[in-house]
């Protein structure tokens, strides 16, 4: 009877979704499953949709269940996924994992009856800290052996509440111990941890930003210090152990999955969860299509009470869009030196100006400088985050990156050198430097004419840079990517350091037997060095599965492939190694005597010839002519360059620099060229 009532409830929605339009939808690919993340389910969602975008109406959930049954999509359990991973029964066609977060009362009152009616399995994630808070004053007794049934209190205090979606919620809003046991014993529901007390923000920097507790080193304003690695890991481990023990006491079975609050996790905390018995990790964002072999499963966050058709489109593989166009990159490379001021109030004012401009430009990404370079020589003597090797000019990068992400709505890539770190110890820096061949009969010389670089062939260099990158990950775990600076090059007569006995191939412990490296080997060495140190960064970064790495490439090596010998850079291996190759499409920096529009056209032709298209290449234009007095490029000129490239078929654009304090380049024409809303641009 319940099943037929559910069908009647969804009849109108089902009729709206019938027809040929569904035939265009892809199924979940074979061997994969789509994971969906729900929260509350209520009958009155339509009236309250604006107040709680994460709630789904009962009718819409029923409609989705009907849609899956009608189209042979198969809800699967975590057991089935683990079995498929272990070589057991493969997943059925169009497999879907249903997950429900937070432990709200609707798990029992609305969702569980529907699971029983349709015989659908699901994963319920309990935030045990909230449950403990409301149950302790709701006549529930907790002992180390487990929870007792509710009993009547006399003279007790008013029940505690938790703040949920910015509103107080008491015991009536959450499942009870008896309900949890009943659902567990029914066999359709598996319970996972949603942490004990990580579903909140903690102080993440001196400026007061609250950031996800699971990936943030807590800042103590009293001491001015961040929690150490040991303290951070102990806090996470203790929290997960407490949550796991509480769920085991409720159900008789310890949870084996951690569903991270906000989807915020990193390789570091995933490893801690595995150590305490929860090796299966669930996040949010990215494509919700997963294979059983993955270490972390991503989920689609269900918001705004969607129709079944809208949910089903989540099965579209990454990169497939209704109009078959890849999402274009639009980026601005920003000097954090322009934000910083010794006066904190002026720094805040500068940050406000940056946020306003970036939001108004309507771009996707900011490449944000993480190192200090006030003299403009490209070498990092100070950094904008706490680290163990260089002085910190100001603890500012995390603050600005977080504000850009949350207030301007953009992705933030940390813009970092790969080799040009000016270590405070001059002798140590000299001993680790890139070297070049001296005149015949002369000793090897330090290569310090331009960028002052550490040699990528010395394990100590790799250790230092790797620790700096790891410290960046600890300090700013919310970044979405990395832009590797243009300091990563080796000239034809560099790097004789590879001939030293302690030299090793980057990222390995393999000695270099022939140090007379051809250009292609030098190119690969720099790529391998970058990958080795970037892994140290991504271990600490949220969304590490979707973390993107971009690297600057000199245009000269695209226009003249023989120039690889002068730079140890080349477009084809960059395309293979990086998510984005940011070509410095800067005609005056390249030194060309051709008109810029002619030069840009030739560059686009060369890229297409070598890459077969433009999908993974960003054309980064110059907004300033650094020759002579360093005049700024007119905004109209910059826009015209962008339009020219888009007409040529170029997808991805960026520019550098941007003086957001003085409106350079001029805002309106620049926005006309760079804005995502103007793509594809038509005049």
């Amino acid at each position: 009877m319940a099943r037929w009532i559910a069908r009647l409830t969804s009849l109108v929605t089902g009729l709206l979704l019938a027809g040929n339009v569904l035939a265009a939808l892809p199924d979940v690919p074979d061997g994969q499953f789509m994971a969906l993340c729900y929260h509350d389910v209520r009958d009155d969602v339509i009236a309250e949709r604006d107040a709680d975008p994460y709630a789904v109406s009962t009718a819409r959930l029923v409609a989705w269940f009907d849609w899956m049954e009608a189209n042979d999509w198969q809800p699967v359990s975590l057991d089935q996924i683990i079995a498929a991973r272990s070589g057991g029964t493969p997943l059925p066609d169009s497999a879907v994992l249903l997950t429900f977060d937070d432990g709200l009362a609707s798990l029992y009152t609305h969702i569980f009856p529907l699971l029983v009616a349709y015989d659908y399995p699901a994963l319920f994630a309990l935030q045990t800290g909230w449950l403990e808070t409301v149950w302790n004053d709701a006549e529930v007794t907790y002992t180390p052996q487990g929870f007792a049934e509710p009993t009547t209190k006399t003279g007790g205090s008013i029940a505690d509440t938790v703040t949920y979606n910015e509103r107080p919620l008491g015991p009536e809003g959450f499942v009870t111990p008896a309900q949890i046991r009943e659902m567990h014993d029914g066999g359709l529901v598996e319970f996972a941890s949603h942490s004990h007390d990580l579903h909140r923000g903690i102080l993440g920097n001196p400026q007061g930003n609250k950031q996800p507790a699971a990936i943030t080193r807590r800042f103590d304003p009293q001491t001015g210090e961040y929690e150490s690695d040991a303290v951070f890991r102990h806090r996470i481990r203790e929290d997960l152990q407490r949550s796991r023990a509480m769920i085991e006491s409720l159900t008789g079975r310890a949870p084996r999955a951690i569903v991270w609050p906000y989807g915020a996790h990193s390789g570091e905390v995933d490893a801690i969860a595995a150590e305490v018995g929860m090796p299966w990790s669930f996040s949010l964002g990215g494509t919700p299509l997963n294979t059983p072999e993955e270490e972390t499963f991503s989920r689609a966050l269900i918001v705004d009470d969607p129709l079944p058709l809208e949910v089903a489109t989540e099965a579209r593989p990454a990169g497939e869009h209704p109009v078959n166009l890849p999402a274009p990159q639009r980026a601005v490379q920003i000097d954090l030196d322009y934000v910083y001021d010794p006066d904190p109030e002026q720094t805040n004012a500068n940050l406000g100006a940056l946020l306003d401009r970036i939001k108004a430009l309507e771009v996707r990404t900011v490449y944000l400088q993480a190192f200090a370079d006030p003299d403009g020589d490209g070498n990092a003597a100070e950094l904008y985050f706490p680290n163990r090797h260089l002085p910190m000019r100001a603890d500012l990068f995390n603050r600005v990156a977080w504000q850009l992400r949350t207030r301007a709505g953009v992705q933030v890539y940390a813009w970092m050198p790969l080799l040009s770190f000016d270590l405070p110890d001059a002798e140590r820096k000299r001993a680790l430097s890139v070297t070049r061949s001296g005149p015949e009969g002369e000793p090897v010389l330090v290569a310090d004419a331009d960028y002052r670089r550490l040699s990528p062939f010395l394990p100590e260099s790799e250790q230092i840079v790797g620790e700096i990158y790891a410290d960046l990950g600890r300090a700013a775990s919310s970044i979405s990517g990395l832009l590797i600076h243009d300091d990563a090059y080796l000239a034809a007569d560099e790097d004789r350091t590879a001939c030293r006995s302690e030299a090793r191939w980057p990222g390995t412990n393999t000695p270099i037997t022939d140090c007379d490296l051809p250009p292609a080997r030098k190119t690969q060495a720099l790529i391998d060095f970058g990958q080795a140190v970037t892994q140290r960064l991504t271990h600490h970064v949220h969304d590490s599965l979707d973390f993107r790495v971009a690297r600057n490439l000199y245009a000269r090596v695209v226009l003249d492939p023989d120039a690889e010998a002068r730079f140890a850079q080349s477009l084809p291996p960059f395309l293979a190694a990086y998510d984005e190759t940011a070509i410095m499409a800067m005609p005056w920096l390249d030194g060309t005597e051709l008109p810029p529009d002619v030069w840009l056209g030739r560059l686009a032709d060369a890229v297409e010839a070598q890459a077969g298209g433009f999908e993974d290449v960003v054309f980064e234009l110059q907004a300033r002519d650094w020759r002579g007095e360093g005049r700024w490029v007119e905004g109209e000129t910059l826009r015209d360059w962008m339009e020219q490239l888009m007409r040529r078929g170029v997808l991805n654009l960026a520019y550098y620099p941007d003086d957001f304090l003085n409106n350079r380049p001029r805002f309106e024409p620049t926005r006309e060229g760079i804005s995502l809303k103007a793509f594809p641009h038509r005049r």
Side-chain angles (χ1 to χ4, degrees):
M1 177 64 70
R3 191 165 186 167
W4 287 108
I5 292 173
R7 289 186 182 283
L8 289 173
T9 306
S10 65
L11 178 60
V12 174
T13 304
L15 290 173
L16 290 173
L17 293 172
N20 292 335
V21 67
L22 294 179
L25 284 173
D27 288 333
V28 178
D30 291 346
Q32 299 185 33
F33 68 92
M34 179 173 71
L36 303 176
C37 170
Y38 291 88
H39 289 80
D40 203 6
V41 176
R42 300 197 306 270
D43 299 332
D44 58 351
V45 164
I46 292 177
E48 298 186 12
R49 190 175 301 167
D50 291 339
D52 186 0
Y54 305 108
V56 171
S57 66
T58 310
R60 288 283 172 85
L61 185 62
V62 169
W64 172 239
F65 282 13
D66 274 349
W67 194 96
M68 286 193 292
E69 184 173 60
N71 290 277
D72 295 322
W73 286 31
Q74 306 294 321
V76 295
S77 66
L78 182 57
D79 260 340
Q80 289 173 273
I81 294 168
I82 295 172
R85 178 191 180 100
S86 303
T89 303
L91 291 178
D93 294 340
S94 294
V96 180
L97 178 67
L98 303 170
T99 73
F100 297 83
D101 289 2
D102 295 344
L104 301 172
S106 61
L107 288 180
Y108 183 78
T109 60
H110 289 66
I111 300 163
F112 182 59
L114 289 174
L115 296 176
V116 172
Y118 286 80
D119 196 29
Y120 284 172
L123 185 72
F124 288 177
L126 301 179
Q127 213 281 357
T128 54
W130 290 342
L131 301 182
E132 187 175 73
T133 296
V134 298
W135 289 348
N136 275 346
D137 276 343
E139 297 81 41
V140 179
T141 304
Y142 174 69
T143 70
Q145 289 73 41
F147 283 88
E149 286 303 308
T151 57
T152 301
K153 266 188 181 180
T154 57
S157 61
I158 298 174
D160 281 347
T161 63
V162 299
T163 300
Y164 187 84
N165 284 345
E166 301 182 356
R167 289 187 280 184
L169 194 61
E172 73 288 345
F174 294 92
V175 288
T176 71
Q179 292 168 349
I180 290 172
R181 278 194 287 273
E182 179 184 341
M183 291 188 287
H184 174 268
D185 292 344
L188 287 175
V189 172
E190 177 167 345
F191 287 94
S193 170
H194 203 33
S195 85
H196 188 77
D197 190 31
L198 300 178
H199 206 303
R200 61 191 178 96
I202 61 174
L203 194 61
N205 54 45
Q207 297 84 5
N209 288 120
K210 295 291 186 71
Q211 299 175 346
I215 57 171
T216 301
R217 263 68 174 173
R218 188 198 312 269
F219 179 76
D220 185 344
Q222 301 300 317
T223 64
E225 300 289 337
Y226 291 87
E227 61 184 348
S228 66
D229 284 355
V231 170
F232 169 79
R233 291 168 184 160
H234 176 77
R235 173 169 63 83
I236 301 301
R237 180 175 287 103
E238 188 176 63
D239 181 282
L240 298 183
Q241 287 174 331
R242 186 173 183 183
S243 179
R244 188 171 187 267
M246 188 168 166
I247 293 172
E248 184 176 15
S249 71
L250 284 163
T251 66
R253 181 184 184 184
R256 50 187 175 170
I258 173 66
V259 176
W260 294 105
Y262 317 114
H265 73 110
S266 65
E268 182 179 24
V269 297
D270 285 344
I272 295 172
E275 290 169 6
V276 302
M278 295 184 289
W280 314 110
S281 180
F282 288 86
S283 182
L284 286 173
T287 173
L289 297 177
N290 305 273
T291 65
E293 291 72 28
E294 292 171 22
E295 298 300 325
T296 300
F297 303 129
S298 58
R299 304 176 296 158
L301 177 61
I302 304 301
V303 295
D304 296 330
D305 203 18
L307 290 163
L309 180 59
E310 297 174 280
V311 180
T313 57
E314 296 290 347
R316 193 180 300 277
E320 282 193 15
H321 297 269
V323 294
N324 296 317
L325 285 175
Q329 177 64 287
R330 293 289 184 272
V332 184
Q333 190 165 338
I334 294 293
D335 288 294
L336 198 48
D337 295 326
Y338 285 10
V339 177
Y340 171 72
D341 191 278
D343 179 358
E345 291 188 8
Q346 186 59 54
T347 294
N348 281 335
N350 296 344
L351 175 56
L354 172 63
L355 295 173
D356 290 344
R357 184 170 172 97
I358 293 299
K359 188 172 183 178
L361 282 172
E362 300 171 312
V363 295
R364 184 180 306 282
T365 302
V366 166
Y367 300 147
L368 182 64
Q369 180 190 37
F371 62 101
D373 184 25
D375 59 6
D377 69 356
N379 297 285
E382 296 177 314
L383 302 174
Y384 281 115
F385 56 90
N387 71 96
R388 66 210 99 161
H389 291 290
L390 292 177
M392 182 174 66
R393 191 183 195 198
D395 190 355
L396 189 59
F397 180 82
N398 174 267
R399 159 76 166 174
V400 176
W402 181 258
Q403 293 293 93
L404 282 166
R405 176 172 176 168
T406 58
R407 287 185 51 192
V410 294
Q411 298 175 335
V412 177
Y413 290 20
W415 164 28
M416 282 284 285
L418 189 65
L419 303 174
S420 57
F421 294 97
D422 275 341
L423 302 179
D425 185 337
E427 286 302 315
R428 188 183 192 196
K429 171 65 186 291
R430 184 176 182 84
L432 297 176
S433 290
V434 168
T435 56
R436 60 182 177 85
S437 302
E440 188 173 352
E442 296 294 324
V444 170
L445 304 173
V446 170
D448 57 2
D450 297 306
Y451 288 116
R452 300 182 291 273
R453 292 152 292 151
L454 301 177
S455 172
F457 299 106
L458 296 179
E460 189 176 352
S461 296
E462 186 177 312
Q463 180 69 18
I464 291 170
V465 178
E467 288 174 353
I468 290 173
Y469 273 51
D471 291 340
L472 171 62
R474 292 183 180 94
S477 56
S478 65
I479 56 176
S480 300
L482 170 73
L483 173 68
I484 297 175
H485 193 30
D486 65 349
D487 68 316
Y489 68 88
L490 291 172
D493 60 347
E494 299 171 343
D495 175 16
R496 303 309 297 169
T497 307
C499 299
R500 286 162 50 175
S501 60
E502 67 269 31
R504 295 292 185 272
W505 189 262
T508 75
N509 194 36
T510 305
I512 300 172
T513 56
D514 182 0
C515 61
D516 189 16
L517 298 171
R521 291 290 286 162
K522 290 184 180 180
T523 299
Q524 190 61 48
L526 291 174
I527 290 172
D528 291 349
F529 183 89
Q531 289 176 338
V533 300
T534 299
Q535 288 174 359
R536 303 283 296 273
L537 166 63
T538 57
H539 182 63
H540 300 283
V541 170
H542 170 42
D543 288 340
S544 57
L545 293 178
D546 298 316
F547 191 86
R548 294 179 65 81
V549 180
R551 183 171 162 194
N552 279 137
L553 176 72
Y554 291 117
R556 176 51 44 194
V557 301
V558 181
L559 293 166
D560 176 15
D562 290 340
E564 182 177 7
R566 306 204 306 269
F567 298 100
Q569 295 184 1
S570 177
L571 180 58
F574 273 41
L575 293 173
Y578 302 108
D579 300 297
E580 299 169 20
T581 298
I583 296 176
M584 299 167 67
M586 303 177 177
W588 295 317
L589 185 66
D590 186 68
T592 182
E593 296 182 359
L594 294 171
D597 57 340
V598 174
W599 184 87
L600 288 169
R602 292 187 180 182
L603 180 62
D605 289 344
V607 168
E608 187 171 35
Q610 295 176 43
F614 300 105
E615 185 171 347
D616 298 321
V617 176
V618 180
F619 282 70
E620 185 167 9
L621 299 163
Q622 65 184 109
R624 192 171 187 179
D625 181 0
W626 290 282
R627 301 173 302 177
E629 297 179 359
R631 67 178 180 86
W632 286 83
V633 175
E634 293 293 336
E636 290 80 2
T637 300
L638 190 59
R639 178 198 62 199
D640 291 347
W641 290 346
M642 293 176 182
E643 291 182 12
Q644 172 194 346
L645 289 169
M646 283 190 283
R647 288 194 298 269
R648 180 61 185 76
V650 168
L651 298 170
N652 309 304
L653 298 171
Y655 72 87
Y656 172 79
D658 185 276
D659 183 356
F660 49 88
L661 300 177
N662 296 294
N663 191 27
R664 297 183 296 197
R666 196 162 63 85
F667 172 77
E668 190 54 40
T670 303
R671 187 200 64 80
E672 290 176 3
I674 198 74
S675 169
L676 285 166
K677 299 293 180 63
F679 177 82
H681 194 93
R682 296 289 183 267
R683 294 291 303 275

